[in-house]
Amino acid sequence: MEDHIILTGKKVILRAAERQDQGMLLGLIRDPRIVKVTKGYQYAASGVHPAHGLCFLPVPAGSFRRVIADREKPEAGLGMILLSDIDEKSRMAQIHIKLLKSARGSGRGRDAVNVLTAYAFRQLGLDRICASILEDNLPSRKLFEACGFEQESTYESRADQEGHCRSVCCYVRRKEA
C-alpha cells in the first residue's frame, strides 16, 4: 500500500506515520489498559522505518495502516487504524483501531472508521470489513455498531498470557449495493 495516501474525514485525517508520531505509537503499543481490551498486538514493537528512522510495528503484507490525526491539527497523532488481512480474492479485510484516551468519545474514532471503510469499499474494491472485538470491550462494540457494523458471531479466543480464554464478537460491515 502507498505511504503517500492521505484520507480526509469531517474530524480526522488518516495519514502515514511521521517522526513526531513515534512516542504516541509506542504509547499505544505499551499501554497495558489498551492491550487488555484489544487482545494486544500480534507483532513486537521492533524494527526501524527506513525512511524516518522510527521504531514501528512492522506493517504485515496485505495491510494498510494510518495514523489518526485531528483535521485541524494534523501533526498531532491521536491513534492508529489498520486494515489487515486484505484479501483481494475474497474481497474482505479486518479493521483495527487504537485511540489515545484523550481522543475517545469525541467522534474522531467513528469518523476514522467510516473514512477507512469507505476507502476500502471504493478504492480497494472490498465487499466486507470485519472487526474482532472482545465481548467486554463495550466502547469499541458501540463504536463499530454506530459505524454500521453488525455482530455476526461470537467465539472463544486463544488463551492470553495469563491462560484465560475470552469471548470475542465478530462484527461485519458489507458494502452497500
Side-chain angles (χ1 to χ4, degrees), residues 45-137:
S46 63
V48 176
H49 188 283
H52 304 291
L54 296 176
C55 188
F56 278 101
L57 291 169
V59 179
S63 297
F64 182 75
R65 179 176 62 203
R66 286 290 171 265
V67 166
I68 302 166
D70 189 281
R71 190 170 172 172
E72 301 301 317
K73 194 175 178 187
E75 67 280 359
L78 304 170
M80 62 189 238
I81 192 163
L82 170 76
L83 282 177
S84 70
D85 304 311
I86 299 171
D87 186 335
E88 293 175 7
K89 186 175 180 180
S90 66
R91 299 172 70 169
M92 61 187 292
Q94 293 282 327
I95 190 169
H96 315 269
I97 185 171
K98 313 268 189 256
L99 282 174
L100 295 175
K101 186 175 183 177
S102 61
R104 296 179 203 149
S106 64
R108 292 183 189 111
R110 183 176 182 175
D111 194 32
V113 169
N114 285 330
V115 167
L116 188 56
T117 301
Y119 174 78
F121 291 148
R122 290 186 192 127
Q123 303 307 123
L124 301 180
L126 302 181
D127 291 330
R128 179 179 161 108
I129 308 293
C130 304
S132 297
I133 305 168
L134 290 173
E135 187 174 48
D136 59 353
N137 187 347

